[in-house]
Amino acid sequence: MKARFITLEGSEGAGKSSAMKTITETLDGWGISYITTREPGGEPTAEKMRDLLLYSDHLDAHTELLLMFASRNEHVVKVIRPALAAGQWVVSDRFVDASFAYQGGGRGVDNETLSFLERMTVGDTQPDLTLYLDVTPEVGLERAANRSEKDRIEKEQLAFFEAIQSAYQDRARNHPHRIKTIDANQGIDQVASQIKHVMQKFKEEHDE
């Protein structure tokens, strides 16, 4: 199979770490060469921007937006495109859909601005498959609270995460062939089973 780009999306407490493990174990079983990465971050300069995004005392919504896309540009240019060109699959914990959810839904940035920045930084480097872990904010935030100290984003109010979920669901409805929704309110085993099913179907549709 040609190199493919897979992204994993979801709000706080959706279970992305466990989901990433299921994805990589599936690729290992297929004998696929791949790299895993994340956003914000995934590249040394982008990781510095991640620290600003997650741990600054306060960021204006437009500063957050521009930092996010600046970080993404470094990530795409220096990590994602070179890996795909070398024949490696790329699995990223979050990508551009997250900006439509967090900066769009959560911060209220309009889609026109987001689409412009997407064209400028991402261009044709679009995911082949996106697994969206859909979790209700109450469940997700309860899980996240038991995990670690809250970062700047996790300290937001419930309404912020409700807006994020709504934006993610809109993206999934608008891109049904790429974005596959996983019910992440279920237990780890049930979520893993859903992911394996989606991955197997993707392989069957794209095997060459």
Side-chain angles (χ1 to χ4, degrees):
M1 295 178 69
K2 65 173 284 191
R4 302 291 181 181
F5 181 19
I6 298 175
T7 56
L8 185 60
E9 296 284 354
S11 187
E12 274 59 34
K16 288 189 287 86
S17 296
S18 297
M20 179 65 80
K21 182 180 178 184
T22 301
I23 294 170
T24 56
E25 286 176 349
T26 299
L27 294 178
D28 287 337
W30 295 348
I32 296 290
S33 175
Y34 64 88
I35 65 165
T36 60
T37 186
R38 68 176 182 178
E39 285 200 351
E43 185 276 337
T45 302
E47 287 290 331
K48 294 176 182 177
M49 296 184 205
R50 178 188 178 89
D51 287 340
L52 289 172
L53 283 160
L54 295 185
Y55 300 108
S56 295
D57 290 336
H58 173 74
L59 286 178
D60 180 78
H62 285 167
T63 304
E64 178 181 290
L65 172 73
L66 294 170
L67 272 174
M68 190 66 247
F69 274 95
S71 168
R72 180 167 295 127
N73 190 71
E74 292 294 294
H75 190 209
V76 169
V77 171
K78 297 180 180 177
V79 176
I80 296 174
R81 285 177 186 157
L84 292 171
Q88 286 188 299
W89 286 41
V90 176
V91 186
S92 182
D93 178 349
R94 294 204 177 113
F95 194 55
V96 75
D97 292 307
S99 283
F100 282 87
Y102 280 77
Q103 284 76 55
R107 303 297 186 204
V109 176
D110 64 273
N111 277 346
E112 184 178 348
T113 299
L114 289 162
S115 295
F116 168 77
L117 291 169
E118 179 186 19
R119 290 192 301 272
M120 185 172 73
T121 59
V122 175
D124 293 332
T125 310
Q126 297 286 343
D128 297 291
L129 172 67
T130 298
L131 296 161
Y132 164 51
L133 302 175
D134 187 26
V135 66
T136 58
E138 292 86 353
V139 171
L141 291 173
E142 183 178 352
R143 290 175 183 170
N146 297 325
R147 184 179 62 199
S148 60
E149 184 178 352
K150 292 182 179 180
D151 61 35
R152 186 178 66 86
I153 302 296
E154 290 169 340
K155 292 177 182 177
E156 292 287 348
Q157 299 300 307
L158 181 63
F160 177 78
F161 296 102
E162 289 173 340
I164 286 170
Q165 182 185 32
S166 179
Y168 264 134
Q169 291 172 343
D170 284 345
R171 291 285 287 176
R173 281 190 291 269
N174 291 331
H175 302 274
H177 297 296
R178 172 175 66 84
I179 303 177
K180 306 303 178 183
T181 300
I182 304 295
D183 182 359
N185 290 307
Q186 298 187 22
I188 291 176
D189 291 342
Q190 290 88 347
V191 170
S193 178
Q194 293 177 70
I195 291 171
K196 290 174 184 176
H197 175 75
V198 170
M199 292 286 289
Q200 184 59 38
K201 189 173 181 181
F202 178 77
K203 182 176 186 293
E204 291 169 0
E205 290 174 350
H206 295 84
D207 226 339
E208 297 176 354

